[in-house]
Amino acid sequence: MVLFASITASLRYHHISLRAPKSRIDFRVYSAMMVAGNLLLSCSVLSQYNSVLNSGVVVDGKTTVLYWLWIALFVSMTLISVCQFFMIPKTAQPKGNFGLAFLSTPLYAFMAIVTGVTFTFFMDYPMGQGIYLGILVEFSGIFLNLALFIWAGMLLTQTRVMDLFLNILRPWNLAPETLTWLILIAAAIPTAYTGASGIFVVAAGAIIYKEVWNSGARRQYALAVSAMSGSLGVVLRPCLLVILISMLDSRHVTSTELFDHGIYVFWLTAFIFLGVSLILAEEKFRVASPKVAFPNMMRACLPVIPYVLIGFAVIMFYKLALDTSINEFTAPMILPLVLIAMILFDKLFAHRIVTDPKHEALVREHEQKSEFLKTHDPHGGKKLGFGGALRFATSETVGHIGALILLMALSASVGGLIERAEVIELLPAHLGNIYISLAFIALLLAIIGMTTDPFGAVILVAATIAPVAYENGIHPIHFWMIVLVAFELGYVTPPVALNHLLTRLSVGDEEVSAADKEAKEKYTSFYYRYERWILPIFVMFTSLVLVTYAPYIFQMFGWYTH
């Protein structure tokens, strides 16, 4: 899966970077860095394979095939990158900036070069990258489930579910801040069900951005909301990140305990966002008359009923016919079938449903206001049938799998580099004061979250930082709640800010540039000019401080015990 998906992502220039390549210089630097990164990875897996062969240990056939698959992957990607260095896309702009070109380099290529050079030339450990790539195989179930969740997210884009849900809210003509809060709460569920991989931002970020902007919000605010839509659900069932934590630290925590406490963290973050948004709102409150809005809302609920029944029918089929209930372990297998059934209904029967003409006219008028929606139709205005929709969703899934899983693999390699460099061991085992310990660990976790993918970071944290936290008297469940919120902060904070990168991928570079231009022309305030960065950071930082210290403050007053 990783072999074919990664090659596909390379052929499409689909790997995640701080900015998309546009000019000829961008594409040259992009390809040159990819050649260097993939060449180092090829050498590493070859070195690991030769080391195993020369060790005298008998290698079974399956292991040999696995080594050859890794070698085939990185050698193929190296050759692809060499070809792309000389074959620049015809759409590339003639001019460019060499400094900005480095920002177009895929994050995974940066990580591959840093870890490859350090392991090979400074640590005399050339097989290091190959060793840490083995984590993908060791936790293959997690990454296979992640791929299925990504597929579910892309299938979601081919249904009318998101738009029908928003139709229920539209009649109330809510103020942007109130509407946004409801959208974020609703978005947390599919975020959790897409594995907290950020894929929900790719799948629904453009729709959320369009809806918030059309409600009268600032473009910068709409971008901030789109980025945060992929963060809040990380603490909810059945998030794969929590499952991985429970597997890595099974002696101290279970997934049930983490999910049970995560719901409180979710509501805390949600209400902090609402409070901050209302304080900074230009229009504090707006709502349509219930006499007008409520009947329209009820009419909008009718088209949703078939989708609810379809989801219920598929889940009951698994329950009654296959004796399989939906939970965090079975959801990756059940959700794609639910969404395929919904797409089939959409393509064959949805157009036959008779809805209220007035409500349909209202919806059409709302959609016609948005030039953004017209210019961001992935099908170019064409109506796809059932087979076409499945092919499109699956094709998009392949590219996203290759980009995300390679980024996770190299994040694990970066974590291994930090672990092998014994940087974490320089930390004192006992920091002396619980409050100092909490501050230090929360800050360290936030920095890790800012620079690496969460799946790779969790593996590093479980092996190195978790024991230090436990030695300093931090309860395991409390520690992992701090980790999850710190990672949420990292998703929206530079230098990487993964959710902002995925938002840009969803809404397009032109729209992000337009939002920045609008902010500079209309506002002199530093906050409003950079709201898409400041708002998520402020909300998540406040949540992190409260999650870190609130239990101990409550303990002081006898209001709470672990």
Side-chain angles (χ1 to χ4, degrees):
M1 180 189 71
V2 174
L3 172 73
F4 290 112
S6 300
I7 290 175
T8 302
S10 295
L11 290 170
R12 294 179 179 178
Y13 295 96
H14 205 87
H15 291 289
I16 299 168
S17 57
L18 295 177
R19 65 184 287 272
K22 297 178 181 179
S23 68
R24 294 181 66 85
I25 293 177
D26 290 346
F27 282 103
R28 293 278 191 206
V29 172
Y30 178 105
S31 300
M33 297 290 278
M34 286 284 285
V35 169
N38 288 317
L39 191 59
L40 285 166
L41 286 164
S42 301
C43 293
S44 180
V45 292
L46 276 167
S47 174
Q48 183 189 14
Y49 180 56
N50 289 329
S51 176
V52 171
L53 290 180
N54 295 329
S55 65
V57 177
V58 178
V59 182
D60 60 59
K62 290 182 179 179
T63 305
T64 302
V65 169
L66 192 61
Y67 284 125
W68 278 107
L69 283 173
W70 282 122
I71 294 167
L73 168 61
F74 294 117
V75 169
S76 299
M77 290 178 67
T78 302
L79 295 174
I80 289 170
S81 299
V82 170
C83 293
Q84 288 176 336
F85 183 83
F86 296 102
M87 300 171 63
I88 304 297
K90 295 180 181 179
T91 55
Q93 299 171 2
K95 297 181 180 180
N97 182 290
F98 195 74
L100 290 176
F102 278 97
L103 297 179
S104 300
T105 302
L107 296 175
Y108 111 87
F110 268 124
M111 293 178 175
I113 292 170
V114 170
T115 55
V117 169
T118 307
F119 277 136
T120 303
F121 299 106
F122 293 96
M123 293 186 173
D124 193 25
Y125 188 51
M127 69 284 293
Q129 289 172 305
I131 295 291
Y132 288 104
L133 284 171
I135 290 174
L136 286 183
V137 181
E138 186 178 349
F139 296 102
S140 58
I142 290 287
F143 291 101
L144 284 168
N145 286 345
L146 177 62
L148 288 170
F149 274 137
I150 293 173
W151 190 34
M154 290 297 99
L155 289 170
L156 178 66
T157 66
Q158 301 304 300
T159 71
R160 300 168 63 221
V161 172
M162 282 294 299
D163 227 26
L164 290 174
F165 167 75
L166 291 170
N167 284 348
I168 297 172
L169 299 178
R170 284 166 184 156
W172 291 96
N173 192 29
L174 295 169
E177 290 71 24
T178 313
L179 175 67
T180 297
W181 187 66
L182 294 175
I183 289 175
L184 282 184
I185 290 175
I189 298 173
T191 297
Y193 272 93
T194 49
S197 62
I199 203 63
F200 181 75
V201 178
V202 178
I207 297 174
I208 291 172
Y209 172 83
K210 179 263 299 184
E211 196 65 32
V212 174
W213 181 31
N214 279 350
S215 70
R218 300 172 296 278
R219 283 185 174 184
Q220 288 276 325
Y221 181 81
L223 287 173
V225 172
S226 298
M228 286 198 67
S229 66
S231 293
L232 269 63
V234 72
V235 292
L236 298 180
R237 193 183 302 272
C239 177
L240 281 179
L241 194 60
V242 176
I243 303 299
L244 181 59
I245 289 170
S246 66
M247 292 172 64
L248 292 168
D249 198 13
S250 57
R251 291 185 304 144
H252 297 100
V253 294
T254 65
S255 59
T256 301
E257 291 173 331
L258 293 174
F259 286 131
D260 288 345
H261 288 75
I263 191 68
Y264 299 110
V265 175
F266 164 72
W267 284 113
L268 171 69
T269 306
F271 278 110
I272 289 173
F273 174 84
L274 178 63
V276 172
S277 296
L278 290 176
I279 290 171
L280 298 170
E282 294 176 308
E283 182 182 1
K284 299 299 182 185
F285 188 74
R286 185 183 76 207
V287 65
S289 168
K291 291 183 180 179
V292 177
F294 188 74
N296 287 331
M297 184 188 76
M298 295 308 296
R299 293 187 190 100
C301 288
L302 292 176
V304 178
I305 293 174
Y307 296 90
V308 175
L309 294 176
I310 289 169
F312 180 75
V314 174
I315 291 171
M316 291 308 296
F317 169 77
Y318 271 91
K319 174 69 176 175
L320 299 177
L322 304 176
D323 194 25
T324 302
S325 300
I326 187 168
N327 53 42
E328 58 264 38
F329 303 105
T330 59
M333 294 172 283
I334 298 175
L335 281 181
L337 187 58
V338 170
L339 289 160
I340 288 172
M342 289 180 178
I343 293 173
L344 181 63
F345 174 79
D346 264 346
K347 303 304 177 183
L348 298 182
F349 305 109
H351 64 282
R352 300 181 185 178
I353 297 176
V354 179
T355 54
D356 181 71
K358 292 182 179 179
H359 178 69
E360 287 298 308
L362 179 68
V363 173
R364 283 196 300 271
E365 179 186 354
H366 180 88
E367 292 178 345
Q368 287 170 359
K369 291 179 182 177
S370 178
E371 290 296 324
F372 168 77
L373 183 63
K374 297 174 188 176
T375 57
H376 284 71
D377 182 1
H379 311 309
K382 298 179 182 178
K383 296 294 183 182
L384 296 182
F386 175 69
L390 283 186
R391 285 192 296 272
F392 179 84
T394 305
S395 175
E396 288 294 298
T397 299
V398 172
H400 290 306
I401 289 172
L404 285 168
I405 291 189
L406 269 187
L407 183 61
M408 292 173 187
L410 269 298
S411 293
S413 187
V414 170
L417 174 63
I418 295 171
E419 182 180 0
R420 192 169 180 83
E422 300 181 347
V423 173
I424 303 298
E425 293 186 9
L426 298 176
L427 301 177
H430 297 279
L431 297 172
N433 181 290
I434 188 65
Y435 298 102
I436 296 175
S437 302
L438 287 167
F440 182 80
I441 288 174
L443 177 62
L444 183 60
L445 291 170
I447 293 171
I448 292 173
M450 292 173 196
T451 53
T452 59
D453 177 86
F455 283 83
V458 159
I459 296 169
L460 169 67
V461 168
T464 56
I465 301 177
V468 175
Y470 302 158
E471 284 289 328
N472 283 272
I474 300 174
H475 193 279
I477 296 176
H478 184 205
F479 169 74
W480 285 112
M481 287 297 107
I482 296 172
V483 170
L484 291 170
V485 179
F487 286 175
E488 287 184 36
L489 174 61
Y491 299 159
V492 295
T493 306
V496 176
L498 184 60
N499 276 10
H500 283 289
L501 298 181
L502 297 176
T503 298
R504 188 199 68 202
L505 182 66
S506 179
V507 305
D509 288 322
E510 295 80 7
E511 195 63 29
V512 174
S513 299
D516 291 337
K517 182 179 178 181
E518 178 189 79
K520 290 179 180 179
E521 291 175 351
K522 292 180 63 175
Y523 300 104
T524 57
S525 165
F526 179 82
Y527 170 79
Y528 287 118
R529 284 192 172 193
Y530 302 99
E531 185 173 26
R532 67 186 175 99
W533 299 101
I534 298 174
L535 177 61
I537 290 172
F538 183 79
V539 170
M540 298 314 306
F541 178 78
T542 305
S543 300
L544 178 59
V545 172
L546 289 175
V547 169
T548 301
Y549 285 109
Y552 289 93
I553 294 172
F554 290 163
Q555 270 188 326
M556 288 173 56
F557 294 98
W559 298 340
Y560 174 81
T561 57
H562 279 302

